[in-house]
Amino acid sequence: MTTPAVTTPRIPEAVHRRRWAILGVLMLSLLIVVLDNSILNVAIKTISTPEPTGLGATQSDLEWAINSYTLVFAGLLFTAGLLGDRLGRKRVLLAGLAVFGIGSALAAESGSPVQLILFRAVMGLGAAFVMPATLAVLMNVFERDEQPKAIGIWAGGVGLAIAIGPITGGVLLDHFWWGSVFLVNVPIVIIAIGLMIWLVPESRDPKPGRIDLMGVGLSIVGLVLLVYGIIKGGQLADFTDPAVLATIVAGLAVLVGFVLYEKRSDHPSIDISYFKNRVFSAAISSLALVFFALMGVTFFAVFYTQSVRGYSPLQTGLLMLPLAAAQLIFAPRARLVVDRFGVRAVCTSGLLLLAAMLAAFTILEADTPIWILEVIFFLMGTGMAHIMTPASVVIMQALPREKAGSASALSNTFRQVGGALGIAVLGSVLSAAYRSGVEDKLTLLPADIRHTAGESIEATLGVAAKLGPRGEPLVTAAHDSFLHAMHITALCGAGVALIGVVVVALFLPGRTPQEPEAQKPEADPVGAGR
């Protein structure tokens, strides 16, 4: 079935010989994009503490510090993909890395939460030009038969970044100020740029399409309004507030307008007809759900380990190591399980395991043996690894070869939007549940600080610390309220994962779709790239 790719190689011999070195450079570029969010997850508690230790960021500020990056990233992926096709993917990669490095340096020197949110958006701008191009270049330096293995290693790079991020962040926070978690990106960027200039070949589309400025604008506005409404609802602990409802409805309306515009456009950012392919839609939905769970869970898990259990940032990073190690171990090998059991069985099992582990967070209390959390993290990573790799391969092979760039951009967009919504939705559920649980215990506080004290567990603990011995009952109330809120949030995440189980079980193929397509060389799937 891979004979055509073997007998008539498309890849120049000089490029083919250094393909694994090129993959290493691409993974280094991917590393900093993913590492940035995993590093920030460990630092959010420090950033939320008052100056001079942190910035005194509220829970809403923290969510926007993460989401400003992911929203700009997701919104500009299509523009970045089109510019890569037009100007050259290597050139765009280099420019994206440079912007990301500059944004990182500026974020490290932020003097307020607003500045941090702004400079994180600059980092998202640079990252938007990095991630989709890495997969597009990968498809151009590996032959058809080696692509599933290369994609598996590429996906495993995400696990590596998740492992390195929290530990690196913990070490830095133990020895330096909070801004060091961003400054560490700069030397990695410099190394990646040097290696890319040396090793990575240039590639471009000879017939690039026009840039869809209207579509990009509508997608950014719609996503920002939607996520802002969700975050605001959590901050107010009231999703029925007129301003919250109006913002969410406006965001959904703009996104509907975006879809209608894309259907009529002769140069759309998203070809809506892609989603008529049920296999493609199911695979891309499963990726979004994995990142929804990953980003949402790590967001509240950091507060559990640091605020409730009292672990340091470095210890928190080490505690999250099993989550990353499982992905690093299993992602490159998931294709072997797929060869034996099929895509549907593997992805369905992965999502079921993920849902079960999210539900397992409900057994965690303030004195639960910590090894139970480690087992939950490892099994979560195992489930994620058996979704990410097969789903990525299916997405790249579900559409014709000439649509490989669009498939890559869509895949990465849904990952990032899934992660942004995971933080916004689960973060807002956590915030709303926490406030409703703790507000009765705040009645003894002065009215002017009562609202602020109920925004997050860190805010409550900060007020309790100022009260001295009189604040001890408030500490207990904060811990109890947070654990209750975490249990509710985890069950919401498990419910979302179960919806994914149904979608994947109904629509993913039992076996990879490449077998029937291989009988028709003229319908060669995306796998070969351009």
PDB file of all heavy atoms in Angstrom, residues 174-200:
ATOM      1  N   ASP A 174      12.079  28.803  41.926  1.00  0.00           N
ATOM      2  CA  ASP A 174      12.790  28.582  43.191  1.00  0.00           C
ATOM      3  C   ASP A 174      14.018  29.483  43.317  1.00  0.00           C
ATOM      4  O   ASP A 174      14.481  29.760  44.431  1.00  0.00           O
ATOM      5  CB  ASP A 174      13.228  27.117  43.305  1.00  0.00           C
ATOM      6  CG  ASP A 174      12.158  26.250  43.956  1.00  0.00           C
ATOM      7  OD1 ASP A 174      11.067  26.777  44.262  1.00  0.00           O
ATOM      8  OD2 ASP A 174      12.407  25.041  44.147  1.00  0.00           O
ATOM      9  N   HIS A 175      14.560  29.926  42.190  1.00  0.00           N
ATOM     10  CA  HIS A 175      15.821  30.672  42.226  1.00  0.00           C
ATOM     11  C   HIS A 175      15.731  32.100  41.684  1.00  0.00           C
ATOM     12  O   HIS A 175      16.600  32.922  41.972  1.00  0.00           O
ATOM     13  CB  HIS A 175      16.901  29.919  41.426  1.00  0.00           C
ATOM     14  CG  HIS A 175      17.274  28.588  42.022  1.00  0.00           C
ATOM     15  ND1 HIS A 175      16.621  27.421  41.708  1.00  0.00           N
ATOM     16  CD2 HIS A 175      18.218  28.258  42.934  1.00  0.00           C
ATOM     17  CE1 HIS A 175      17.155  26.415  42.387  1.00  0.00           C
ATOM     18  NE2 HIS A 175      18.122  26.893  43.141  1.00  0.00           N
ATOM     19  N   PHE A 176      14.699  32.379  40.864  1.00  0.00           N
ATOM     20  CA  PHE A 176      14.610  33.692  40.224  1.00  0.00           C
ATOM     21  C   PHE A 176      13.194  34.256  40.379  1.00  0.00           C
ATOM     22  O   PHE A 176      12.340  33.639  40.972  1.00  0.00           O
ATOM     23  CB  PHE A 176      14.992  33.601  38.744  1.00  0.00           C
ATOM     24  CG  PHE A 176      16.343  32.998  38.501  1.00  0.00           C
ATOM     25  CD1 PHE A 176      16.458  31.664  38.100  1.00  0.00           C
ATOM     26  CD2 PHE A 176      17.506  33.734  38.687  1.00  0.00           C
ATOM     27  CE1 PHE A 176      17.701  31.092  37.880  1.00  0.00           C
ATOM     28  CE2 PHE A 176      18.752  33.168  38.473  1.00  0.00           C
ATOM     29  CZ  PHE A 176      18.856  31.840  38.073  1.00  0.00           C
ATOM     30  N   TRP A 177      12.983  35.427  39.781  1.00  0.00           N
ATOM     31  CA  TRP A 177      11.651  36.053  39.856  1.00  0.00           C
ATOM     32  C   TRP A 177      10.735  35.423  38.810  1.00  0.00           C
ATOM     33  O   TRP A 177      11.168  34.703  37.912  1.00  0.00           O
ATOM     34  CB  TRP A 177      11.786  37.555  39.706  1.00  0.00           C
ATOM     35  CG  TRP A 177      11.663  38.139  38.309  1.00  0.00           C
ATOM     36  CD1 TRP A 177      10.692  38.985  37.873  1.00  0.00           C
ATOM     37  CD2 TRP A 177      12.538  37.961  37.189  1.00  0.00           C
ATOM     38  NE1 TRP A 177      10.898  39.337  36.554  1.00  0.00           N
ATOM     39  CE2 TRP A 177      12.027  38.715  36.109  1.00  0.00           C
ATOM     40  CE3 TRP A 177      13.721  37.204  36.973  1.00  0.00           C
ATOM     41  CZ2 TRP A 177      12.638  38.757  34.858  1.00  0.00           C
ATOM     42  CZ3 TRP A 177      14.322  37.236  35.726  1.00  0.00           C
ATOM     43  CH2 TRP A 177      13.789  38.004  34.694  1.00  0.00           C
ATOM     44  N   TRP A 178       9.432  35.691  38.910  1.00  0.00           N
ATOM     45  CA  TRP A 178       8.442  35.021  38.059  1.00  0.00           C
ATOM     46  C   TRP A 178       8.691  35.242  36.563  1.00  0.00           C
ATOM     47  O   TRP A 178       8.386  34.383  35.732  1.00  0.00           O
ATOM     48  CB  TRP A 178       7.027  35.491  38.428  1.00  0.00           C
ATOM     49  CG  TRP A 178       6.787  36.955  38.188  1.00  0.00           C
ATOM     50  CD1 TRP A 178       6.900  37.967  39.083  1.00  0.00           C
ATOM     51  CD2 TRP A 178       6.415  37.566  36.942  1.00  0.00           C
ATOM     52  NE1 TRP A 178       6.641  39.168  38.495  1.00  0.00           N
ATOM     53  CE2 TRP A 178       6.319  38.953  37.175  1.00  0.00           C
ATOM     54  CE3 TRP A 178       6.147  37.081  35.672  1.00  0.00           C
ATOM     55  CZ2 TRP A 178       5.974  39.856  36.172  1.00  0.00           C
ATOM     56  CZ3 TRP A 178       5.797  37.974  34.669  1.00  0.00           C
ATOM     57  CH2 TRP A 178       5.715  39.345  34.921  1.00  0.00           C
ATOM     58  N   GLY A 179       9.263  36.387  36.190  1.00  0.00           N
ATOM     59  CA  GLY A 179       9.485  36.687  34.774  1.00  0.00           C
ATOM     60  C   GLY A 179      10.485  35.755  34.105  1.00  0.00           C
ATOM     61  O   GLY A 179      10.525  35.661  32.871  1.00  0.00           O
ATOM     62  N   SER A 180      11.269  35.025  34.911  1.00  0.00           N
ATOM     63  CA  SER A 180      12.263  34.118  34.328  1.00  0.00           C
ATOM     64  C   SER A 180      11.599  32.982  33.545  1.00  0.00           C
ATOM     65  O   SER A 180      12.232  32.405  32.656  1.00  0.00           O
ATOM     66  CB  SER A 180      13.152  33.538  35.427  1.00  0.00           C
ATOM     67  OG  SER A 180      12.397  32.786  36.364  1.00  0.00           O
ATOM     68  N   VAL A 181      10.311  32.665  33.843  1.00  0.00           N
ATOM     69  CA  VAL A 181       9.650  31.583  33.120  1.00  0.00           C
ATOM     70  C   VAL A 181       9.384  31.967  31.666  1.00  0.00           C
ATOM     71  O   VAL A 181       9.162  31.100  30.817  1.00  0.00           O
ATOM     72  CB  VAL A 181       8.326  31.153  33.806  1.00  0.00           C
ATOM     73  CG1 VAL A 181       8.575  30.699  35.227  1.00  0.00           C
ATOM     74  CG2 VAL A 181       7.279  32.252  33.758  1.00  0.00           C
ATOM     75  N   PHE A 182       9.399  33.269  31.373  1.00  0.00           N
ATOM     76  CA  PHE A 182       9.266  33.723  29.993  1.00  0.00           C
ATOM     77  C   PHE A 182      10.634  33.976  29.359  1.00  0.00           C
ATOM     78  O   PHE A 182      10.854  33.683  28.189  1.00  0.00           O
ATOM     79  CB  PHE A 182       8.422  35.002  29.934  1.00  0.00           C
ATOM     80  CG  PHE A 182       7.029  34.825  30.452  1.00  0.00           C
ATOM     81  CD1 PHE A 182       6.631  35.424  31.634  1.00  0.00           C
ATOM     82  CD2 PHE A 182       6.114  34.037  29.763  1.00  0.00           C
ATOM     83  CE1 PHE A 182       5.348  35.259  32.121  1.00  0.00           C
ATOM     84  CE2 PHE A 182       4.825  33.864  30.242  1.00  0.00           C
ATOM     85  CZ  PHE A 182       4.442  34.465  31.419  1.00  0.00           C
ATOM     86  N   LEU A 183      11.553  34.507  30.153  1.00  0.00           N
ATOM     87  CA  LEU A 183      12.878  34.834  29.621  1.00  0.00           C
ATOM     88  C   LEU A 183      13.620  33.583  29.154  1.00  0.00           C
ATOM     89  O   LEU A 183      14.454  33.652  28.244  1.00  0.00           O
ATOM     90  CB  LEU A 183      13.687  35.567  30.692  1.00  0.00           C
ATOM     91  CG  LEU A 183      14.891  36.374  30.203  1.00  0.00           C
ATOM     92  CD1 LEU A 183      14.447  37.465  29.241  1.00  0.00           C
ATOM     93  CD2 LEU A 183      15.618  36.989  31.396  1.00  0.00           C
ATOM     94  N   VAL A 184      13.308  32.427  29.745  1.00  0.00           N
ATOM     95  CA  VAL A 184      13.983  31.182  29.369  1.00  0.00           C
ATOM     96  C   VAL A 184      13.716  30.813  27.913  1.00  0.00           C
ATOM     97  O   VAL A 184      14.486  30.077  27.291  1.00  0.00           O
ATOM     98  CB  VAL A 184      13.546  30.035  30.309  1.00  0.00           C
ATOM     99  CG1 VAL A 184      12.102  29.608  30.009  1.00  0.00           C
ATOM    100  CG2 VAL A 184      14.481  28.844  30.192  1.00  0.00           C
ATOM    101  N   ASN A 185      12.630  31.347  27.326  1.00  0.00           N
ATOM    102  CA  ASN A 185      12.334  31.050  25.916  1.00  0.00           C
ATOM    103  C   ASN A 185      13.373  31.643  24.969  1.00  0.00           C
ATOM    104  O   ASN A 185      13.595  31.110  23.874  1.00  0.00           O
ATOM    105  CB  ASN A 185      10.956  31.610  25.529  1.00  0.00           C
ATOM    106  CG  ASN A 185       9.815  30.899  26.209  1.00  0.00           C
ATOM    107  OD1 ASN A 185       9.907  29.722  26.524  1.00  0.00           O
ATOM    108  ND2 ASN A 185       8.722  31.604  26.441  1.00  0.00           N
ATOM    109  N   VAL A 186      13.991  32.752  25.378  1.00  0.00           N
ATOM    110  CA  VAL A 186      14.860  33.496  24.453  1.00  0.00           C
ATOM    111  C   VAL A 186      16.053  32.664  23.972  1.00  0.00           C
ATOM    112  O   VAL A 186      16.297  32.574  22.752  1.00  0.00           O
ATOM    113  CB  VAL A 186      15.309  34.822  25.093  1.00  0.00           C
ATOM    114  CG1 VAL A 186      16.288  35.553  24.171  1.00  0.00           C
ATOM    115  CG2 VAL A 186      14.096  35.701  25.380  1.00  0.00           C
ATOM    116  N   PRO A 187      16.848  32.027  24.855  1.00  0.00           N
ATOM    117  CA  PRO A 187      17.964  31.221  24.336  1.00  0.00           C
ATOM    118  C   PRO A 187      17.496  30.040  23.485  1.00  0.00           C
ATOM    119  O   PRO A 187      18.172  29.667  22.515  1.00  0.00           O
ATOM    120  CB  PRO A 187      18.684  30.741  25.600  1.00  0.00           C
ATOM    121  CG  PRO A 187      17.722  30.930  26.722  1.00  0.00           C
ATOM    122  CD  PRO A 187      16.868  32.090  26.332  1.00  0.00           C
ATOM    123  N   ILE A 188      16.342  29.447  23.818  1.00  0.00           N
ATOM    124  CA  ILE A 188      15.825  28.335  22.999  1.00  0.00           C
ATOM    125  C   ILE A 188      15.492  28.831  21.599  1.00  0.00           C
ATOM    126  O   ILE A 188      15.779  28.173  20.597  1.00  0.00           O
ATOM    127  CB  ILE A 188      14.583  27.698  23.662  1.00  0.00           C
ATOM    128  CG1 ILE A 188      14.928  27.169  25.055  1.00  0.00           C
ATOM    129  CG2 ILE A 188      14.038  26.568  22.798  1.00  0.00           C
ATOM    130  CD1 ILE A 188      13.743  26.619  25.809  1.00  0.00           C
ATOM    131  N   VAL A 189      14.905  30.024  21.525  1.00  0.00           N
ATOM    132  CA  VAL A 189      14.577  30.623  20.219  1.00  0.00           C
ATOM    133  C   VAL A 189      15.840  30.845  19.397  1.00  0.00           C
ATOM    134  O   VAL A 189      15.876  30.536  18.195  1.00  0.00           O
ATOM    135  CB  VAL A 189      13.815  31.956  20.420  1.00  0.00           C
ATOM    136  CG1 VAL A 189      13.808  32.770  19.131  1.00  0.00           C
ATOM    137  CG2 VAL A 189      12.389  31.690  20.875  1.00  0.00           C
ATOM    138  N   ILE A 190      16.874  31.359  20.025  1.00  0.00           N
ATOM    139  CA  ILE A 190      18.121  31.636  19.304  1.00  0.00           C
ATOM    140  C   ILE A 190      18.721  30.345  18.742  1.00  0.00           C
ATOM    141  O   ILE A 190      19.153  30.291  17.584  1.00  0.00           O
ATOM    142  CB  ILE A 190      19.119  32.355  20.233  1.00  0.00           C
ATOM    143  CG1 ILE A 190      18.592  33.755  20.578  1.00  0.00           C
ATOM    144  CG2 ILE A 190      20.495  32.444  19.593  1.00  0.00           C
ATOM    145  CD1 ILE A 190      19.390  34.471  21.660  1.00  0.00           C
ATOM    146  N   ILE A 191      18.733  29.291  19.555  1.00  0.00           N
ATOM    147  CA  ILE A 191      19.264  28.001  19.095  1.00  0.00           C
ATOM    148  C   ILE A 191      18.418  27.449  17.948  1.00  0.00           C
ATOM    149  O   ILE A 191      18.948  26.976  16.931  1.00  0.00           O
ATOM    150  CB  ILE A 191      19.302  26.988  20.261  1.00  0.00           C
ATOM    151  CG1 ILE A 191      20.328  27.439  21.319  1.00  0.00           C
ATOM    152  CG2 ILE A 191      19.645  25.582  19.766  1.00  0.00           C
ATOM    153  CD1 ILE A 191      20.256  26.650  22.615  1.00  0.00           C
ATOM    154  N   ALA A 192      17.094  27.513  18.097  1.00  0.00           N
ATOM    155  CA  ALA A 192      16.194  26.979  17.070  1.00  0.00           C
ATOM    156  C   ALA A 192      16.366  27.716  15.750  1.00  0.00           C
ATOM    157  O   ALA A 192      16.380  27.098  14.674  1.00  0.00           O
ATOM    158  CB  ALA A 192      14.746  27.071  17.543  1.00  0.00           C
ATOM    159  N   ILE A 193      16.515  29.044  15.794  1.00  0.00           N
ATOM    160  CA  ILE A 193      16.696  29.822  14.566  1.00  0.00           C
ATOM    161  C   ILE A 193      17.996  29.426  13.865  1.00  0.00           C
ATOM    162  O   ILE A 193      18.034  29.235  12.641  1.00  0.00           O
ATOM    163  CB  ILE A 193      16.682  31.340  14.884  1.00  0.00           C
ATOM    164  CG1 ILE A 193      15.249  31.790  15.223  1.00  0.00           C
ATOM    165  CG2 ILE A 193      17.230  32.145  13.709  1.00  0.00           C
ATOM    166  CD1 ILE A 193      15.149  33.245  15.651  1.00  0.00           C
ATOM    167  N   GLY A 194      19.065  29.275  14.641  1.00  0.00           N
ATOM    168  CA  GLY A 194      20.347  28.891  14.045  1.00  0.00           C
ATOM    169  C   GLY A 194      20.280  27.530  13.366  1.00  0.00           C
ATOM    170  O   GLY A 194      20.745  27.359  12.230  1.00  0.00           O
ATOM    171  N   LEU A 195      19.700  26.539  14.043  1.00  0.00           N
ATOM    172  CA  LEU A 195      19.590  25.195  13.467  1.00  0.00           C
ATOM    173  C   LEU A 195      18.666  25.184  12.255  1.00  0.00           C
ATOM    174  O   LEU A 195      18.910  24.449  11.277  1.00  0.00           O
ATOM    175  CB  LEU A 195      19.077  24.221  14.527  1.00  0.00           C
ATOM    176  CG  LEU A 195      20.040  23.905  15.677  1.00  0.00           C
ATOM    177  CD1 LEU A 195      19.352  23.069  16.742  1.00  0.00           C
ATOM    178  CD2 LEU A 195      21.283  23.182  15.147  1.00  0.00           C
ATOM    179  N   MET A 196      17.611  25.988  12.295  1.00  0.00           N
ATOM    180  CA  MET A 196      16.664  26.003  11.182  1.00  0.00           C
ATOM    181  C   MET A 196      17.306  26.585   9.923  1.00  0.00           C
ATOM    182  O   MET A 196      17.104  26.082   8.809  1.00  0.00           O
ATOM    183  CB  MET A 196      15.439  26.814  11.583  1.00  0.00           C
ATOM    184  CG  MET A 196      14.246  26.615  10.655  1.00  0.00           C
ATOM    185  SD  MET A 196      12.769  27.322  11.378  1.00  0.00           S
ATOM    186  CE  MET A 196      12.559  26.241  12.788  1.00  0.00           C
ATOM    187  N   ILE A 197      18.074  27.658  10.084  1.00  0.00           N
ATOM    188  CA  ILE A 197      18.770  28.247   8.928  1.00  0.00           C
ATOM    189  C   ILE A 197      19.703  27.216   8.292  1.00  0.00           C
ATOM    190  O   ILE A 197      19.823  27.130   7.062  1.00  0.00           O
ATOM    191  CB  ILE A 197      19.559  29.497   9.368  1.00  0.00           C
ATOM    192  CG1 ILE A 197      18.581  30.619   9.775  1.00  0.00           C
ATOM    193  CG2 ILE A 197      20.492  29.981   8.268  1.00  0.00           C
ATOM    194  CD1 ILE A 197      19.256  31.825  10.415  1.00  0.00           C
ATOM    195  N   TRP A 198      20.322  26.398   9.128  1.00  0.00           N
ATOM    196  CA  TRP A 198      21.310  25.421   8.664  1.00  0.00           C
ATOM    197  C   TRP A 198      20.659  24.196   8.016  1.00  0.00           C
ATOM    198  O   TRP A 198      21.107  23.733   6.958  1.00  0.00           O
ATOM    199  CB  TRP A 198      22.174  25.013   9.856  1.00  0.00           C
ATOM    200  CG  TRP A 198      23.218  23.986   9.549  1.00  0.00           C
ATOM    201  CD1 TRP A 198      23.913  23.818   8.380  1.00  0.00           C
ATOM    202  CD2 TRP A 198      23.695  22.965  10.437  1.00  0.00           C
ATOM    203  NE1 TRP A 198      24.797  22.766   8.490  1.00  0.00           N
ATOM    204  CE2 TRP A 198      24.684  22.231   9.734  1.00  0.00           C
ATOM    205  CE3 TRP A 198      23.406  22.623  11.757  1.00  0.00           C
ATOM    206  CZ2 TRP A 198      25.354  21.150  10.309  1.00  0.00           C
ATOM    207  CZ3 TRP A 198      24.085  21.561  12.335  1.00  0.00           C
ATOM    208  CH2 TRP A 198      25.038  20.825  11.612  1.00  0.00           C
ATOM    209  N   LEU A 199      19.594  23.671   8.606  1.00  0.00           N
ATOM    210  CA  LEU A 199      19.097  22.345   8.220  1.00  0.00           C
ATOM    211  C   LEU A 199      17.806  22.320   7.406  1.00  0.00           C
ATOM    212  O   LEU A 199      17.652  21.472   6.517  1.00  0.00           O
ATOM    213  CB  LEU A 199      18.880  21.498   9.486  1.00  0.00           C
ATOM    214  CG  LEU A 199      20.115  21.022  10.242  1.00  0.00           C
ATOM    215  CD1 LEU A 199      19.708  20.402  11.565  1.00  0.00           C
ATOM    216  CD2 LEU A 199      20.876  19.992   9.394  1.00  0.00           C
ATOM    217  N   VAL A 200      16.850  23.188   7.715  1.00  0.00           N
ATOM    218  CA  VAL A 200      15.495  23.034   7.171  1.00  0.00           C
ATOM    219  C   VAL A 200      15.405  23.578   5.747  1.00  0.00           C
ATOM    220  O   VAL A 200      15.818  24.716   5.497  1.00  0.00           O
ATOM    221  CB  VAL A 200      14.466  23.749   8.082  1.00  0.00           C
ATOM    222  CG1 VAL A 200      13.071  23.687   7.471  1.00  0.00           C
ATOM    223  CG2 VAL A 200      14.473  23.111   9.463  1.00  0.00           C
TER     224      VAL A 200
END
